[in-house]
Amino acid sequence: MGSRQTSTVHGLRRENRARALWDLYLHGPGSRQRIGAGAGVSTGTVSNVVGDLMEQGLVQESGSVPSGGGRPSSIVQIDPGYAFVVGVDVGESSVLVELFDLAMQVRGRHRIPTELTRLAPAEVVEQIVAGVAAVLAQSGVATDDVLGVGVGVPGLVEHSPLAVVHAQTVGWDAVPLEALLHERTALPLAVDNGAKLLGQAEHWFGAARGAADVVVVLLGHGLGTSIFTRGSGAWAPMSSPGEWGHTAVVVDGQPCRCGARGCLEAYVGAGAVAARYDVLRGGPAEGPDDLETRVTELLARADSDPASATVLAELVRYLGAGIGNLVNVYSPSRVVLGGWLGRQVAELRMPELAAAAAQNALRTPFEDVELLRADLGADAVALGAATLPVGRFLSSGGQRDAVLGSRPA
């Protein structure tokens, strides 16, 4: 009985620490009163919890606010330099590795241009390992001060329990990426879908913040979604990423790189946009070799180049149809358009995109939808990936051993 009672007490203490840390992390510095209200614990409990966290060095005082006639209330915050995390975006044009402190400020960045369709999994592992070494060297941060590495990848990720990646569009079939990485680094690892992680970053820090039901769209070379339903959030697991880009919008339509025909991605993905422009121009047009730069430049000419205008109008039409379908299925309160191409389309043609979505959505669910451009930029996936070890750490109540425990035996 005594052992069980001790275990219960320790579990409650860990949960209270976790609640306080989540409140500080998501809402920023605050008084003990605010933390207690946000965490749902009593004044006495929050004082004890904050005292423990300050003794650990994880929480520090950062100022004070006047109180109603008594002593000023002290403000506390998570110490940004207490520990660090690494976020990796395995994209289709580069592998981006970034080192963050606990305030999610970038302390080191290393980008390796690549072409994922020609890159073997073993080479991706080499790029990640080299990138982690580079950002640690840039920042002077010791390996022991890193809580872990989060990695965002294209395709579906199966956790069994180590992550296995199924990325049909780039030729990855059941790639045991997490196991391959564990052979090269002793740091704790977490691997997940890139669109899902972009959504997590927007949900915690960006345009999706505070929304109960939200769909975050990633549009770039490929197309994916991250879907949050009522009740999900920092404390609950997010939903699985949707392979929305590979839903058919035209029966027997344009061939898609996944092997099917008529997928939405075959009409709105960056490769499809560039290919359609070449068709309208009667052949490949001169321009930069980099697909992202090329598509960005051609869409920016939409007001002066008829072919660009046609391409952008078709892109808005098909993307609007896809968003309308999302609204009909999920009834979100907010749809956030992210990714380098998604943000550009939103900036150039948001009113037209909203009209196209409205034409393809049922009136009642669409009346309550906000269509927004994502707040976060090119490193949103890396930022989202870095939240994976952060989330483990906060949910453990700030216990490093819980994060380190994610290493395989």
Side-chain angles (χ1 to χ4, degrees):
M1 179 68 73
S3 177
R4 181 182 301 175
Q5 192 172 40
T6 300
S7 177
T8 301
V9 170
H10 286 167
L12 181 59
R13 178 173 175 269
R14 182 172 60 251
E15 182 178 344
N16 288 335
R17 285 167 59 98
R19 288 180 178 277
L21 287 171
W22 274 114
D23 180 85
L24 283 170
Y25 185 75
L26 294 178
H27 302 295
S31 67
R32 289 166 174 78
Q33 290 82 358
R34 192 214 70 190
I35 296 167
V41 297
S42 68
T43 303
T45 297
V46 77
S47 293
N48 290 335
V49 167
V50 170
D52 286 347
L53 294 171
M54 291 181 69
E55 186 176 341
Q56 181 180 337
L58 176 52
V59 167
Q60 61 185 12
E61 290 195 359
S62 61
S64 62
V65 292
S67 63
R71 292 189 307 169
S73 298
S74 61
I75 299 296
V76 297
Q77 67 175 25
I78 294 175
D79 179 3
Y82 178 81
F84 302 85
V85 288
V86 175
V88 180
D89 175 10
V90 179
E92 297 186 5
S93 60
S94 67
V95 174
L96 172 65
V97 182
E98 292 186 317
L99 178 76
F100 300 87
D101 61 24
L102 289 184
M104 305 315 286
Q105 298 299 306
V106 177
R107 296 293 192 95
R109 178 184 286 114
H110 185 70
R111 185 186 295 274
I112 308 154
T114 185
E115 184 62 51
L116 188 57
T117 55
R118 296 197 300 268
L119 203 61
E123 293 177 272
V124 170
V125 170
E126 292 294 333
Q127 305 280 36
I128 293 172
V129 171
V132 171
V135 296
L136 291 177
Q138 285 175 25
S139 62
V141 170
T143 303
D144 288 346
D145 290 327
V146 177
L147 294 176
V149 179
V151 182
V153 296
L156 296 172
V157 179
E158 174 189 0
H159 300 279
S160 57
L162 298 183
V164 176
V165 182
H166 306 270
Q168 188 171 325
T169 55
V170 296
W172 284 18
D173 183 17
V175 172
L177 185 65
E178 190 170 354
L180 293 173
L181 284 167
H182 273 301
E183 292 176 0
R184 298 296 311 279
T185 179
L187 287 169
L189 297 166
V191 180
D192 222 319
N193 170 266
K196 175 178 175 179
L197 295 175
L198 178 142
Q200 180 144 307
E202 287 288 342
H203 198 227
W204 286 16
F205 311 116
R209 189 170 186 171
D213 297 283
V214 60
V215 175
V216 181
V217 171
L218 186 157
L219 174 57
H221 291 69
L223 181 63
T225 57
S226 181
I227 301 161
F228 297 84
T229 56
R230 190 170 300 274
S232 64
W235 292 91
M238 10 179 333
S239 64
S240 297
E243 285 296 321
W244 174 54
H246 299 291
T247 54
V249 292
V250 179
V251 176
D252 295 327
Q254 293 287 345
C256 181
R257 59 183 180 154
C258 73
R261 301 184 71 91
C263 295
L264 181 59
E265 185 178 301
Y267 294 87
V268 303
V273 170
R276 178 59 175 154
Y277 183 77
D278 289 344
V279 169
L280 293 173
R281 290 292 300 262
E286 293 185 3
D289 293 332
D290 176 64
L291 180 61
E292 182 173 337
T293 303
R294 184 182 174 206
V295 170
T296 297
E297 291 181 355
L298 77 86
L299 292 185
R301 297 193 300 269
D303 291 335
S304 59
D305 177 0
S308 294
T310 299
V311 168
L312 181 54
E314 292 177 352
L315 169 55
V316 167
R317 177 186 170 200
Y318 281 107
L319 184 58
I323 291 173
N325 289 336
L326 287 173
V327 171
N328 290 341
V329 173
Y330 294 105
S331 298
S333 62
R334 200 175 296 175
V335 175
V336 176
L337 197 56
W340 64 267
L341 180 52
R343 283 167 52 85
Q344 186 181 12
V345 173
E347 184 174 348
L348 292 172
R349 293 291 188 272
M350 181 63 92
E352 294 86 347
L353 182 60
Q359 288 177 353
N360 291 276
L362 294 171
R363 183 173 60 254
T364 298
F366 193 77
E367 286 176 349
D368 297 325
V369 175
E370 285 185 283
L371 185 56
L372 302 173
R373 179 175 180 260
D375 286 343
L376 306 176
D379 64 348
V381 174
L383 176 62
T387 67
L388 294 175
V390 170
R392 288 178 176 175
F393 179 65
L394 299 179
S395 292
S396 74
Q399 299 180 49
R400 286 176 180 262
D401 289 347
V403 180
L404 296 174
S406 63
R407 296 176 181 174

